[in-house]
Each structure stands twice: as structure tokens, then as C-alpha cells.
Amino acid sequence: MTERMWNNHEMRSSYDVVIIGGGAHGLATAYYLAKNHGITNIAVIEQKFIGYGGSGRNTAILRSNYRTEEGILFYDQSLKLYEDLAQELDYNLMFSQQGHFTLGHSTASMQALTTRAAYNRALGVNSTILDPPEIKKMLPEIDISNHPRYPIMGALYHPPGGIIRHDAVVWSYARGADQRGVHIHQLTEVQDILVENGEVRGVKTNRGTIHCKQVVSCVAGWSSEICKMVGIKLPLVTHPLQALVTTDYKPWLHHVVVSSTLHIYLSQTDRGELVCGNGIDHYPHYGMRSTLGFLESYAAHLLELFPILHNVTVQRQWAGLCDMTPDYSPIISMVDDVDGFYINCGWGTWGFKGSPASGWNTAQMVAERKTPERIAAFRHDRYVKNRLVGEKAAASVGN
Amino acid sequence: MPKVLVVAETKNGELKKPTLELLSLAKSMNLQAESLLIGKEVSSQADLLAGYGSGKVYVADDAGLEIYNTSKYTSLVADAVGQSGATQVWITSSETGRDLTPRVAARMGVGALSDVTELEIDGDNITATRPCMATKLVQQCRFTKDGLRVISIRAGAYEAEEASPETADTVSLSIPEGDSRVEVRDIQVEESNEIELNEASIVVSVGRGTGGTEGCDFVKPLAGEMGAAFGASRAVCDAGWMPHKHQVGQTGTVVSPDFYFAFGISGAIQHLAGMSGSKVIVAINKDAEAPIFKVADYGIVGDLFKAVPVFQEEVTKIKN
Amino acid sequence: MEIIVPIRQVPDVALNIRVNEGKVVEDGVSFVISSWDETAIEGALQMTEELGGEVTLLGIGPERVSEALRKGLAMGAHKAIHVLYEEGQTDSFGYAKIMAKVMEGRNYDLILTGKQAQDTDAGLTASMLAEFLDLPQVTNIIRFSDLAVDGMTLYRKGDHGTEVIGIKLPAVVTVNDSLNEPRLASMRGIMMAKKKPMESLSPSDLGMGAEELGLQGSMTEVLKFEKPESRKEGERFEGDETETVPMAIQKLVSEAKLAV
């Protein structure tokens, strides 16, 4: 008999909690609501199939070497949850904690990396600065000469960082939630959120209306669309983010390599393929389509770092959507004007690594109906109160 | 007055079913039809063409026409059109038809519509429906200028009606020289007494659920017993469990039989593109959520290895 | 050996294709080289690798077609010609006329292309082009051999077997995807593609007037696109196969008139 990891259920007419978005964040929230708080009458509503959005499209890099105190502690919690997650969910997540390099190619960059290393260490996160010869010892194929346009000046080396199999995370959270009684409804599109007297009453979908008192939005790139339904405007702008994977080669790259200045990152899966990513496309757009411009720009920068890769062939390109916030930090928050509505978004290019902590803390917020201390800094009203959590330097590539 | 010239197709000296479908279609639309019979030792088929409704039958019977030859066949069609005064040329959308249709159209200075699955005819005004985008969409097209209408029609899109015996009024065509730059030397045929996929009214097909060559061979005898052609999904052929000639799909053979039995096939979109024209789809799969059940007229959720022997029993019962 | 490979840029048919008011929605669609044309590019590259010479790609369409041409150059083709064409709906006849104009005065031994384009699945343009150029044609080839500058042996997938055909060049040949597995573009190939020559032409450069372009130059038109009628799920039988199979067969015989 075919065994399913999660089951299809008839949609009930009411649930205690409805989570919109069947990605890693939504499913982790459902899982921790059930596991940590005993709340199981939950529906996860997914417009396509689970992992269709960012969770299935990211380059699966995990790390906690962020810049702000709030950020470092949040991603550190997340990384520690990841370390035990395969055991917890009883599924091989292929988490390879192989170490993570962020290369610096300018004095400004090195200054920022050095500060990050110091902040990391102060908060108990393992990060250190390496000079080019030390980098070369660990990445023999890298070009540390003065030949490239922006020669390497050093790197932030972060041993706990690594890569994981993103699909496995989605599927195993789904299974864990399903085993605890959560209903996952795929191919179900939310058409409206019903609010009366400032309180959430239910959700209207293409398969019927669900009555509920608590709705959590975990839809990342589509957040503006969902928040429109409750009349909330968020400072999010959605940009495409592209990625590519090469054909497979025998294992040669044993660490994750990121270059902010060159806007590229790469890692090698244990199947031997290089998974490669870039910065976001410059323009806001909802199209998850691949362009030649990305390929050309990536190839140029990659060959500056690793000249031996000139014959590496590109197997496949794809793209996902990133909901960018002004401070490159997420928004995990209750909403004052709408009681029972919770947003979890603003994950930009930094979402997948935060999934476990995002789910954990969002679940706590929904269960206790108040904001946990650890994510207090990520409230949506911080923009109005000018309390931004500036993570641009650490969250993405581009400086 | 519209007049259709049907380009007949033969195999081993016998008319192929799609040709009969085209003539029956013309008849059902009350269109005057004539036909063109090309091949080696095919003249005897002229009467059958007449029986299906053809008026004059233009015959080009020659050893050099046994294997398809673009230049010779195109010249013959042009000749027949000239002599018959046909306003429409209908060709089956076979491999031969796909090569011939555009060459004929361009020769006559007109356009063409290919792989049509539905026709609406009002005199010489034709609206045709045809699949596109790997059969994910259909498009409705028409001819925009006056002139000869050249169309290729998918086999199985229409039914062949019963024939009444007739004697044909034949016209012999002179055999063209052909293009000296092309030498059609030979045809490599895999000898088999198996029913061809694109001719069968029943197809028994296997997918990944069979688990390997042994599994496919377990199902194959049922095809023989049902008088069916044996097909396989792309996954099965790519994995080397069955030769590619059995492949059903857009890159294999597109089939539209009366009955399509899918054993252990999940129903991926590429496969559906190759058999969605089947009249009745019967799916046997142990996964109740397999996509094929959404398109199957009869869906049996069960183990194909247990089902096949029961099928064989029932088929034997029916035959006796 | 000089080979011209006309390629077509199409929406990626592996993805969801949507229709709005009878037209295909292009917004947010990924465009790719039609897969049979990729096979043709690979075939052409293999031929020039054996005999020497160059592969020139030909693309007709709006600005975005240049991306498809660059991807083909990244695979290893040597040059590209882009006919910048924005005249709207054009059928195979119309495209074949434009291609014939492009070929005028050009030196080539072979025109090699996919047997059909993945968006129209029409399979008409190449043969019409062959007729307009008065060239011999062989379509749907699955193999080639005996390569020489003036001719070769081609193996065509016919209705009754594999047709073995000797052809003298120049000629028009179309390919079946069993011919080869197209190579992927390498990082260096992608970089070098930017430097390879891309000739840009307009229909007026080709001396074509409005009556030869768009719908005016076409012989057929598409009235609308639609999603095909989807089949509905029929009857389901679950349980012991010794019971479900006879039940299903009984229905097949009585309702669907199955006869063996």
C-alpha cells in the first residue's frame, strides 16, 4: 500500500486556527501549535501544493551570523532547532553543517564582517574572520590573487552554517503536523478573510467558507494580497529572486561560499550539483520566471571566484518571490486593528533559515495571544515607531 | 461547389482506417469527395474507396511509390487536384501526412491547417479546432484567403461508417520522376505481428507501477488476448523496460482508441497528452489519489498484479 | 559546412499556460527555445564538429527572442540572426516567406530545425520554406550518417518503419527529439555568447511590405485559444480485485460496448 506522508481530509466548516500558506513557516507554525501548545484543530490552507513558494525554491543555506542582537538570537534559535530537527521529525533532512564563508572584497565590507563576527561571538554564535591564505587552505579552487576586479580581502567564517534539503523540511513538518491532527488543504485558494467588528470570523476559500477566530498569514511573497483582505498595508515590496543548479560533479566544494560584493553564493549538494543564487532582481514583479541576464551576471562573477568552473554546465534555472522589508528583517506580529489576525511575512531572501524559529514563536504568539519577547522587535508597527532592525548587511548579498 | 480530395493511405497494399474516416466524414457532411491512391500494388483498393463514398479515384500505382517520397507524392497531389478541380485536400495527420501537407500547400501557394481534431465546414469556409501547447490548449483557426484548402486531420478524430460495395471510377495518373537530389533507398521495418498503436481500437498500456520488464511482460499477454495494441508510458521506455516503439505520448505515438487500459500509470501530463483522445479510459492503479483517476471513465483502485489474471479470466469468458 | 538553424521561442509548455479572453496570457511566462529546435541546434553542432563550418541561428519575433538566440549561442552556435518582428499574428506560411527572404543571397548547405514548434505544434513552416526555396526536404529524422559537405544519409521515422534516405545538399531537414540529447550551456559558453555576432534585421530591411506581414501575409488565422474540455472522473471501483474487475468489465461491456 502507498503510504502518504500527510493525508487529504474533508474540509471542516470550522477550525480553531487557520494558517494561510503551506510553506515551511506555515507548516512549522502548525506543528509547534500542536506539539508545544496542544492546539490541533488547525487547517493549513495552501493555494497550490505545499512548498510551492519560497520553501521549494530557495538555495537552502542555513546560518545565524546576523548583525543585530535580535537577528542573531532569532536565527541562532532557528539553527539550533534545525540541528535537532531530523531527530524531532524522524526524517533525514540532509543537514550538512559544513561551514559558511562570507567573502569580503573591500575595506568597508571587511569592516562590516568584522563587526558581525564580534557581535556573533558576544552572543555565543561561532564566527571568526579569516585572511586570504586561510581561506585558500579551505577552498583550494578559489582565486585569491589580485587578478579579479575585486580581489578577496578576507572572509567571515561561520562553522555552524550549512545546507539542508529544503523539500524534506517542508514534507516532514507536514507529516508531523498531520500526525497530530492538523488538516492540510492543498489547491485551496483563500479568496477573502471575514472580519466583523474588528474581529476575525472566518476565511472564504474556493472550496467553501471556514469559520474560525484566529487566522495566521504565512504567505511570504503573496503577503500584500492577503493583507489587502483585512485592510492592512505593509511596507513590503515583492521582487523575484533567481537561482540555478548545475549538472553534478564529484564532490569538491565542502563549504558554503557567499560573496556580498559579487552578489553570488554557491554550495554543492551531496548529489554533486552546484546550487547557485544571486541578489534579487532590481524591479518589483510577481513573475517567477528566469532570465538570461541573471545567468550572464552569475557566470561572470562565478568565474572570477572559481576560474576552474568555466566548463560547468547549467542544468536548470528557476525563480521565487521575495517580500522585501525596508530593514531586511521579518514581520511576525499581531495586528492591532484586526483581532485574531496574525502576520508572518517579510522574509525576503532570509526566510528559509528562519523557518523553525518562525514557526515556534508564531505558534507561541497564537496560542498565548500575545507577542513573545523574542520576537517583540519584529512587530509590524516598528516602521511607524522608527525602531527598524537593520539587517541588510547580513541578510542578503549586495554590499 | 466544394469538392474534397482525400489522399488515401495504405499499408501492405491495404487501406488504413484513417482514410476511411476521412471519406466517411465527407459523406456525413454531404460533400462531394474524390480520392488519390498512391502506392505499390494498391489499385485493388479503389473499389473500397468508392464504397466509402469516393467519386473518382485517382491512382498512381508504381514500385517507386511504395515508400513515401515527398517530391513524387506532392507532384501527384498537385496533379490530382488539377484534374479533379478539388477545392479541399484532406490528408491524415500521420508521419507521411505531416510531411506532405505543408509541401502540397506551399506548392499550390496556399496555407494549411494541421492535426485538426474538429472541423466545421460551410462550403469552402472551414473552421478547424486543433490541439497546441503540448495539447494543453486547443485553438480554433480558419483560412483567411480564397484558394485551395489543405488540411491534415488526426486519425481517430472521426468515425468510419460502414461501406457499401461499389465499383470505382478510376483515373490513372502518370508517375512523376521525383527530385533527383533525394534517393529514398529503403525502409527498415521491425517485423512484428503486433497490432500497431495508432491503428488499434483497444490499447493496453503499462506504467511505472509494473516495476520493471517482468511486470510489463506480465501484463503484455492480456493485450494479445484482447486483440489490443500494447503501449507503455515514457517512464517505462526511458527506463529500458520496454522498447520505445511502444511509447504512448506526444513524443511517442498519439493514440485515440475506443478503449485505453492504463495499468500502473499515474497519469502525468505528458502521457495524458498522448491518450486523452481515447473514447473510454480505464485505469488500474493501487494509489487512489493517482491523477489518472481524474480522467478515467472507469477507475479500479487495486493491485495490477492481482487484477490482470482476473481480467484474463473475464476476457476469456466474454470470448466464449 | 554552413548550417542555419531557425529556432522558435515559445512559452515553457511544462508550466501552466493560461488563457484570457481567447488569448494566451504572456505575463509572467517563462520563454524557452522550443525543445525540438534545441535538438536541431545540437544536431547542427555535432555536424560542424565533424566537418567544420559554422552554425547560424535564426529567430523571428519581438525583442525577447534575442534571449533565446543568446541561449542557443551559449550552447555553442557561432552566429545569430534576429529578425525583429512585431507585426502580430502570423501563420506558418507567413513565417516561411520571411525565412525565404532571409535566405536570399546567403550561403548555406543545410537548414536544420525542429519538426514542429512547441507552441503551435503545427509542423508546417520548414516544409513550406523548402518549397519556396525549391530545396529537397526530409522531415522527422532520428539519425544521420555518412556526413559529407554535399550530402548525407538520413533516417526518417515514417509510419511503417525507418525510411533510409540519401540527400544532396543544400536541403531542409527537420528533427525528431530522439535524434540526440541537447547539450547544456556551460558557464563559459554563457559568457562567450555575449560576444558572438548577432545580426538584427527588420522586415523592411528584407524588402518586405505590410501586405506580406502579420495577418495580411498569412493564409490562416487563429480565432481563439481555449482550454480543452477536460475529462471528468467516471466510476470508481475499490476493494478486492476478484470482485472489482468483473464489475468494471461488466459495465464496460454493457455501458461502453466493449468487444474483444
Side-chain angles (χ1 to χ4, degrees), chain A residues 15-19 33 39 41-44 212 214-216 366:
Chain A
Y15 289 91
D16 290 338
V17 181
V18 167
I19 297 172
L33 268 171
I39 297 172
N41 188 13
I42 300 171
V44 175
C212 61
Q214 292 180 293
V215 170
V216 191
V366 172

Side-chain angles (χ1 to χ4, degrees), chain C residues 32-46:
Chain C
V32 296
I33 300 176
S34 174
S35 118
W36 283 287
D37 292 334
E38 280 186 328
T39 309
I41 298 174
E42 175 62 30
L45 290 173
Q46 287 181 15

Side-chain angles (χ1 to χ4, degrees), chain A residues 176-194:
Chain A
D178 174 85
Q179 278 171 350
R180 286 169 168 75
V182 173
H183 284 194
I184 298 168
H185 299 290
Q186 299 180 94
L187 294 176
T188 308
E189 193 193 328
V190 168
Q191 295 169 333
D192 201 8
I193 299 173
L194 310 168

Side-chain angles (χ1 to χ4, degrees), chain B residues 158-195:
Chain B
Y158 289 94
E159 307 251 350
E161 298 291 324
E162 299 239 357
S164 46
E166 291 279 342
T167 314
D169 174 13
T170 64
V171 175
S172 264
L173 296 177
S174 49
I175 311 298
E177 289 281 309
D179 191 332
S180 57
R181 299 169 290 184
V182 176
E183 188 198 343
V184 177
R185 295 181 196 149
D186 191 14
I187 182 162
Q188 297 169 345
V189 183
E190 254 181 71
E191 279 310 323
S192 88
N193 48 10
E194 290 177 354
I195 302 176

Side-chain angles (χ1 to χ4, degrees), chain A residues 79-197:
Chain A
L79 195 56
K80 291 202 160 66
L81 284 168
Y82 263 126
E83 281 167 4
D84 294 328
L85 201 58
Q87 181 96 313
E88 161 104 13
L89 297 176
D90 187 24
Y91 199 73
N92 182 9
L93 301 177
M94 288 153 70
F95 181 16
S96 167
Q97 236 171 343
Q98 49 184 245
H100 179 286
F101 283 83
T102 309
L103 302 170
H105 304 251
S106 66
T107 34
S109 192
M110 287 314 302
Q111 221 161 31
L113 293 174
T114 309
T115 315
R116 257 166 84 186
Y119 286 13
N120 283 187
R121 280 200 302 275
L123 292 169
V125 170
N126 188 357
S127 285
T128 186
I129 295 292
L130 297 181
D131 63 18
E134 289 169 315
I135 299 169
K136 183 82 176 173
K137 271 212 201 92
M138 298 176 79
L139 299 169
E141 299 81 5
I142 205 163
D143 185 354
I144 55 166
S145 74
N146 279 323
H147 179 248
R149 167 126 56 133
Y150 301 108
I152 296 171
M153 291 180 68
L156 171 65
Y157 178 58
H158 175 59
I163 49 174
I164 198 167
R165 188 172 176 214
H166 53 347
D167 294 322
V169 173
V170 171
W171 299 335
S172 53
Y173 265 130
R175 183 175 72 170
D178 174 85
Q179 278 171 350
R180 286 169 168 75
V182 173
H183 284 194
I184 298 168
H185 299 290
Q186 299 180 94
L187 294 176
T188 308
E189 193 193 328
V190 168
Q191 295 169 333
D192 201 8
I193 299 173
L194 310 168
V195 177
E196 225 178 87
N197 297 328

Side-chain angles (χ1 to χ4, degrees), chain B residues 36-257:
Chain B
L36 170 59
L37 184 57
I38 308 174
K40 173 183 163 193
E41 284 159 28
V42 290
S43 308
S44 62
Q45 299 295 293
D47 287 344
L48 191 54
L49 288 167
Y52 272 84
S54 175
K56 286 210 180 71
V57 178
Y58 298 87
V59 182
D61 195 325
D62 185 78
L65 295 171
E66 184 182 13
I67 308 174
Y68 173 66
N69 178 310
T70 308
S71 151
K72 292 185 188 179
Y73 278 50
T74 306
S75 301
L76 287 166
V77 175
D79 189 2
V81 167
Q83 292 196 38
S84 78
T87 59
Q88 301 184 19
V89 179
W90 292 6
I91 307 174
T92 301
S93 178
S94 58
E95 299 295 5
T96 296
R98 282 169 209 270
D99 185 290
L100 183 60
T101 301
R103 194 89 198 208
V104 163
R107 173 72 51 92
M108 311 297 286
V110 296
L113 290 174
S114 59
D115 209 24
V116 170
T117 49
E118 230 180 276
L119 272 178
E120 255 176 56
I121 300 200
D122 172 19
D124 283 318
N125 289 321
I126 300 178
T127 308
T129 303
R130 54 181 306 282
C132 59
M133 301 275 183
T135 73
K136 284 190 174 173
L137 295 183
V138 293
Q139 55 180 200
Q140 237 187 55
C141 309
R142 68 180 187 104
F143 290 94
T144 52
K145 307 221 166 96
D146 288 333
L148 183 68
R149 298 336 193 179
V150 180
I151 352 181
S152 74
I153 299 167
R154 218 183 235 211
Y158 289 94
E159 307 251 350
E161 298 291 324
E162 299 239 357
S164 46
E166 291 279 342
T167 314
D169 174 13
T170 64
V171 175
S172 264
L173 296 177
S174 49
I175 311 298
E177 289 281 309
D179 191 332
S180 57
R181 299 169 290 184
V182 176
E183 188 198 343
V184 177
R185 295 181 196 149
D186 191 14
I187 182 162
Q188 297 169 345
V189 183
E190 254 181 71
E191 279 310 323
S192 88
N193 48 10
E194 290 177 354
I195 302 176
E196 269 186 44
L197 274 172
N198 56 13
E199 309 239 292
S201 53
I202 307 178
V203 172
V204 168
S205 202
V206 288
R208 276 238 201 100
T210 53
T213 312
E214 267 179 39
C216 297
D217 287 337
F218 184 79
V219 183
K220 198 167 177 196
L222 180 61
E225 286 152 27
M226 293 180 81
F230 187 59
S233 69
R234 184 173 186 160
V236 163
C237 299
D238 280 352
W241 301 348
M242 277 287 127
H244 275 275
K245 67 171 180 178
H246 290 296
Q247 188 176 324
V248 170
Q250 219 195 3
T251 48
T253 307
V254 172
V255 301
S256 37

